[in-house]
């Protein structure tokens, strides 16, 4: 069986994240770039499934700039078998549709039984890529899974939404996305880190995938970007026995109660 | 065949598990009415009560298309995506607005990919200029505002729940049935569904005007009750940090932050929350922030309008008492 895991390099949410006010693009030099945590959980699930199903190959897939291989090596250290990096300048500023076309095209080329992604990235926060990729691949999707079991080509899971919990069953091939209810990624072992350096990491261009970003189809474009002024700290007091009363007074003064 | 106004905005109505119109639909129709004529699509099981269609009129839908699907309860996402594709072909709207919920995102992704229409996500408001509909976004925890638009043609947008406060005037809707040809797309099978337990009489977290949130500082699930008591004294919704959710003090749906719900209420009260950057990303656009934490160096104080360094188990009961005293 072949599992493709969609992973994404994102600005570290522990640091300051900046948008370039000229281009509207993420300023990649502003902070550290890391593998999105939810993507790590997706890798962990894939590696765990592979441990239980002999002959399973786990391929990482990411589209992004030249810094992406560092994130991919981390995923390989967790236990994935190989990685594919889609690297093409023409993806700069890509909208969701182009991103989905590129990922679906690359998945098609790699071959797959199961595609696993995180539910929502911490930078784009769209949460739409898994279902877009499923639609373009023409396969079923099961998103926001908090529990996954795979048995003989049939995947069952529990899907979380605001409305409630849905128990689902889906026959492979399929695309799924996972929530942070699934286990955190294991800490890569020293052996895993060393092995990761020798695992195959292939680079693909849009031409090789067969996606033309200049095709005459409508795109989503950013037309304005502005930075909000940073929030200034107000008053902080140390409680000397009247802290609760002081908050009540503050709320009354500001007509908040 | 009926015709639709050229400024039509198609809204995918969101329903609760019991088939009533969900509160997010009011914001979607409010946003649609601000830029055009709202046309709502209602996807229901066959023979469902027509009450939802007239409820959508009360929320401003000039037209309501009703698509009945026998597969709604058994197949995930695709029955709704198929109905949306049929409604889009019929109405030819300038934009399609969908709730940024788990269900809404899936439908939006499938529909936008299938139809080849640009998709804008987590939109907080929409506007119309001479070239069409633009979407307004508040990104990276509210530190940047961005606008996006389709290079040409229509736009599909997922709209952040609770972000649009505009409400459309009630109208008498024109209600008609919509025939949908199933696409036959592969879909996951729904085995069972357990609705989320109705959460008390407190306001919903999304869109609440006041939020009281608790963190790891509460110590135990039992002591988390203090957060609920203050919330009730303020008529507020209850939120939590990821640490509190991970510790099991409260259900996952109450998580505020990067990977939970984003809120921007008039008043946000953070109790025992350190204010990790991921939490702040979900609440720092609140109008006024009040924080109580025993650690004077907690980053939450960097964004608080009024902070108290102290033991929340003495400060909060005193606050509740002062609020109660004021009511009498």
């Amino acid at each position: 069986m072949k599992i493709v895991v969609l992973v994404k390099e994102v600005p570290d949410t522990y640091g300051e994240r900046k948008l370039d006010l000229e281009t509207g693009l993420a300023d990649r030099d502003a902070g550290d770039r890391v593998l999105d945590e939810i993507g790590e959980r997706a890798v962990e699930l894939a590696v765990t499934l592979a441990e239980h199903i002999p002959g399973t190959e786990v391929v990482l897939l990411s589209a992004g700039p030249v810094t992406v291989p560092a994130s991919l090596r981390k995923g390989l250290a967790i236990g994935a078998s190989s990685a594919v990096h889609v690297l093409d300048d023409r993806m700069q500023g890509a909208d969701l549709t182009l991103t989905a076309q590129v990922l679906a095209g690359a998945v098609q080329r790699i071959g797959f039984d199961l595609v696993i992604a995180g539910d929502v990235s911490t930078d784009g926060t769209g949460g739409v890529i898994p279902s877009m990729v499923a639609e373009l691949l023409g396969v079923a999707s099961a998103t926001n899974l908090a529990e996954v079991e795979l048995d003989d080509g049939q995947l069952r899971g529990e899907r979380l939404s605001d409305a409630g919990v849905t128990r689902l069953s889906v026959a492979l091939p399929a695309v799924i996305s996972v929530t942070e209810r699934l286990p955190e990624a294991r800490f890569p072992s020293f052996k895993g880190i060393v092995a990761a350096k020798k695992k195959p990491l292939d680079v693909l261009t849009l031409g090789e995938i067969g996606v033309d970003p200049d095709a005459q189809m409508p795109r989503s474009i950013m037309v304005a970007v502005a930075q909000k002024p940073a929030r200034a700290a107000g008053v902080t007091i140390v409680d000397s026995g009247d802290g609760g009363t002081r908050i009540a007074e503050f709320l009354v003064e500001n007509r908040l109660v | 065949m009926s015709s639709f106004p050229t400024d039509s905005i198609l809204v995918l109505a969101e329903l609760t598990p019991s088939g009533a119109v969900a509160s997010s639909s009011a914001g979607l129709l409010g946003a649609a009415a601000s830029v055009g004529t709202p046309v709502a699509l209602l996807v229901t099981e066959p023979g469902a009560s027509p009450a939802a269609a007239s409820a959508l009129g009360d929320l401003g839908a000039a037209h309501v298309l009703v698509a009945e699907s026998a597969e709604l309860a058994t197949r995930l996402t695709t029955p709704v995506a198929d109905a949306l594709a049929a409604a889009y072909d019929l109405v030819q709207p300038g934009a399609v607005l969908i709730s940024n919920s788990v269900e809404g995102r899936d439908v939006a992704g499938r529909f936008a990919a299938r139809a080849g229409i640009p998709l804008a996500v987590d939109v907080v408001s929409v506007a119309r200029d001479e070239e069409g509909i633009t979407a307004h976004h508040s990104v990276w925890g509210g530190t940047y505002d961005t606008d996006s638009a389709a290079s040409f043609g229509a736009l599909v947008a997922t709209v952040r729940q609770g972000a649009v406060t505009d409400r459309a005037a009630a109208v008498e809707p024109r209600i008609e049935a919509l025939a949908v040809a199933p696409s036959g797309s592969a879909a996951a099978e729904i085995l069972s569904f357990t609705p989320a337990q109705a959460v008390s009489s407190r306001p919903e977290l999304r869109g609440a005007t006041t939020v009281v949130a608790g963190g790891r500082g509460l110590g135990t699930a039992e002591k988390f009750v203090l957060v609920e008591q203050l919330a009730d004294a303020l008529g507020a919704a209850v939120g939590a940090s990821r640490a509190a959710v991970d510790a099991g003090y409260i259900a996952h749906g109450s998580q505020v932050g990067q990977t939970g719900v984003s809120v921007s209420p008039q008043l946000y009260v953070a109790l025992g929350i350190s204010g990790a950057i991921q939490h702040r990303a979900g609440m720092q656009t609140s109008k006024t922030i009040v924080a109580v934490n025993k650690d004077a160096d907690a980053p939450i104080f960097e964004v608080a309008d009024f902070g108290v360094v102290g033991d929340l188990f003495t400060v909060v009961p005193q606050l509740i008492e002062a609020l109660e005293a004021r009511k009498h």
Side-chain angles (χ1 to χ4, degrees):
Chain A
M1 188 172 78
K2 202 180 230 182
I3 303 176
V4 179
V5 186
L6 306 183
V7 292
K8 187 178 187 187
E9 186 193 61
V10 297
D12 193 342
T13 57
Y14 281 97
E16 193 183 357
R17 298 183 291 174
K18 283 188 176 166
L19 285 184
D20 185 318
L21 295 176
E22 291 292 317
T23 62
L25 300 174
D27 178 351
R28 296 184 186 278
D29 299 325
D32 290 340
R33 310 277 305 167
V34 296
L35 182 58
D36 206 353
E37 191 208 317
I38 195 66
E40 287 189 20
R41 287 175 197 248
V43 178
E44 175 64 33
L45 171 64
V47 170
T48 305
L49 291 173
E51 283 166 351
H52 290 93
I53 305 165
T56 299
E57 190 189 343
V58 176
V59 184
L60 306 180
L61 170 61
S62 191
V66 290
T67 48
V68 163
S71 301
L72 289 173
R73 291 287 174 206
K74 171 140 196 221
L76 292 171
I78 294 169
S81 335
S82 64
V84 173
H85 176 199
V86 182
L87 174 66
D88 198 309
D89 285 345
R90 294 181 300 165
M91 276 205 76
Q92 202 176 55
D95 69 353
L96 288 157
T97 312
L98 178 57
T99 304
Q101 287 171 326
V102 167
L103 293 173
V107 167
Q108 198 77 267
R109 190 183 151 114
I110 294 165
F112 72 105
D113 298 291
L114 175 63
V115 177
I116 308 180
D119 56 351
V120 177
S121 68
T122 53
D123 60 347
T125 69
V128 291
I129 287 291
S131 58
M132 295 181 92
V133 168
E135 179 71 24
L136 295 173
L137 291 171
V139 300
S141 51
T143 57
N144 275 67
L145 300 183
E147 209 185 279
V148 178
E149 305 149 38
L150 181 58
D151 188 21
D152 203 19
Q154 194 74 20
L155 187 142
R156 284 166 185 260
E158 230 169 48
R159 176 180 193 253
L160 299 181
S161 69
D162 294 330
V165 179
T166 309
R167 270 207 76 74
L168 296 167
S169 172
V170 59
L172 302 189
V175 176
I176 65 168
S177 78
V178 299
T179 67
E180 57 186 33
R181 299 289 95 189
L182 275 152
E184 242 173 81
R186 65 194 72 181
F187 200 74
S189 64
F190 179 70
K191 206 175 137 199
I193 294 167
V194 172
K197 292 181 181 158
K198 294 178 185 153
K199 288 178 178 171
L201 195 161
D202 294 331
V203 178
L204 290 178
T205 61
L206 296 194
E208 287 166 305
I209 298 170
V211 171
D212 177 12
D214 305 319
Q216 273 304 304
M217 71 178 286
R219 300 286 180 195
S220 168
I221 49 175
M222 195 185 276
V223 292
V225 56
Q227 187 167 14
K228 283 242 192 82
R231 199 182 175 101
V235 179
T236 296
I237 61 160
V238 175
D239 181 31
S240 51
D242 63 348
T245 316
R246 296 279 297 275
I247 296 175
E249 285 165 4
F250 172 84
L251 296 179
V252 172
E253 274 167 31
N254 289 280
R255 297 168 188 272
L256 290 163
V257 284
Chain B
M1 181 67 56
S2 54
S3 65
F4 292 85
T6 52
D7 70 346
S8 288
I9 303 293
L10 183 59
V11 166
L12 176 61
E14 193 160 46
L15 301 179
T16 65
S18 60
V21 173
S23 58
S24 59
S25 298
L28 294 174
L29 288 163
S34 72
V35 293
T37 304
V39 178
L41 168 64
L42 180 62
V43 187
T44 66
E45 288 181 45
S49 137
S54 55
L56 290 166
D58 293 342
L59 296 173
H63 301 253
V64 179
L65 297 169
V66 182
E68 294 193 335
S69 168
E71 294 181 322
L72 200 57
T74 55
R75 285 163 67 83
L76 191 69
T77 310
T78 52
V80 182
D82 292 351
L84 186 59
Y88 180 85
D89 287 344
L90 179 66
V91 178
Q92 297 291 313
V96 181
L97 306 183
I98 302 171
S99 175
N100 187 13
S101 60
V102 167
E103 318 287 344
R105 289 200 286 262
D106 281 356
V107 175
R110 284 217 173 244
F111 170 67
R114 189 185 299 179
I117 301 172
L119 175 56
V121 290
D122 201 18
V123 167
V124 294
S125 64
V126 290
R128 182 188 281 278
D129 66 14
E130 60 278 8
E131 291 179 57
I133 303 298
T134 59
H136 187 68
H137 312 251
S138 172
V139 306
W140 288 3
T143 50
Y144 292 89
D145 288 332
T146 65
D147 291 335
S148 71
S151 54
F152 60 90
L155 184 71
V156 181
T158 60
V159 180
R160 185 182 294 181
Q161 295 169 84
V164 179
T165 50
D166 291 354
R167 293 292 177 265
V171 290
E172 191 61 47
R174 214 176 73 199
I175 300 170
E176 59 186 280
L178 176 74
V180 179
S183 63
S185 290
E189 186 193 347
I190 299 172
L191 301 175
S192 66
F193 176 72
T194 314
Q197 289 191 338
V199 270
S200 72
S201 52
R202 289 192 194 102
E204 244 182 89
L205 182 55
R206 289 190 169 89
T209 48
T210 308
V211 173
V212 178
R216 181 81 93 179
L218 271 301
T220 65
E222 291 71 38
K223 291 182 185 164
F224 198 85
V225 168
L226 189 59
V227 175
E228 295 168 2
Q229 287 166 346
L230 179 58
D232 291 342
L234 288 167
V238 172
S241 69
R242 179 170 173 181
V245 170
D246 284 349
Y249 300 170
I250 186 166
H252 180 248
S254 301
Q255 184 171 319
V256 172
Q258 181 75 63
T259 55
V261 176
S262 284
V263 296
S264 39
Q266 293 295 309
L267 171 64
Y268 188 89
V269 182
L271 304 177
I273 291 177
S274 66
I277 197 163
Q278 293 86 349
H279 182 75
R280 281 165 20 216
M283 49 66 78
Q284 65 191 358
T285 55
S286 302
K287 189 90 182 300
T288 301
I289 297 171
V290 170
V292 182
N293 200 297
K294 64 176 194 292
D295 176 8
D297 296 325
I300 193 74
F301 291 124
E302 291 165 20
V303 294
D305 297 282
F306 192 78
V308 174
V309 180
D311 181 356
L312 63 93
F313 295 106
T314 59
V315 173
V316 176
Q318 188 182 61
L319 169 58
I320 294 172
E321 204 175 302
L323 293 171
E324 296 299 340
R326 213 180 152 266
K327 280 182 194 164
H328 297 300

